[in-house]
Amino acid sequence: MEIALWTMVDALMKWVIIPMAAILWVHNQKLGAHEKEVLRIMTLLSERKDQRDEDRAELKEALRDLRAAILRLDERLADFALAQSVQAPPPKTTRSPATRRAKG
């Protein structure tokens, strides 16, 4: 009876337990690889988000600088136009040739 029990345990080990263990091991390896891939993708997405945030901050700063430059240019143009209107010479009273002939 004891031999039959060991034979049955041996057969059970050979045909059920070892194949199931192998299947589970392979499945766990695949899950591990899958988890590593998911972790890699999540890391890449996080890095891209960080880069996007940095780019967005740089663009906001550049836009702020551009607006400030436009305001300075606008002020300079207004100052120039004011200076031109103050320093404008009086209109010339030169006579055209027709006016001279009529008087002459």
Side-chain angles (χ1 to χ4, degrees):
M1 180 79 174
E2 197 173 304
I3 295 175
L5 185 61
W6 281 111
T7 306
M8 190 169 38
V9 169
D10 188 42
L12 188 63
M13 287 290 287
K14 230 182 252 183
W15 300 107
V16 176
I17 295 174
I18 292 175
M20 286 298 286
I23 290 170
L24 288 174
W25 184 81
V26 169
H27 181 68
N28 285 337
Q29 292 300 315
K30 287 181 182 177
L31 283 179
H34 177 70
E35 289 172 355
K36 287 177 187 175
E37 185 67 18
V38 168
L39 183 62
R40 187 183 70 80
I41 290 170
M42 301 262 310
T43 303
L44 286 174
L45 289 174
S46 176
E47 289 172 358
R48 286 183 183 172
K49 182 187 178 299
D50 292 345
Q51 185 63 43
R52 238 185 2 254
D53 291 345
E54 289 175 14
D55 291 347
R56 186 175 291 129
E58 289 176 11
L59 285 173
K60 283 183 180 180
E61 185 178 341
L63 183 60
R64 188 174 43 249
D65 293 346
L66 181 60
R67 286 179 179 154
I70 290 171
L71 287 175
R72 285 192 305 271
L73 180 61
D74 192 38
E75 289 172 0
R76 289 177 68 189
L77 285 173
D79 291 345
F80 179 75
L82 181 63
Q84 289 296 320
S85 66
V86 169
Q87 294 178 358
K92 294 182 180 178
T93 56
T94 58
R95 298 180 192 170
S96 64
T99 307
R100 279 186 255 167
R101 281 189 216 129
K103 284 192 171 186

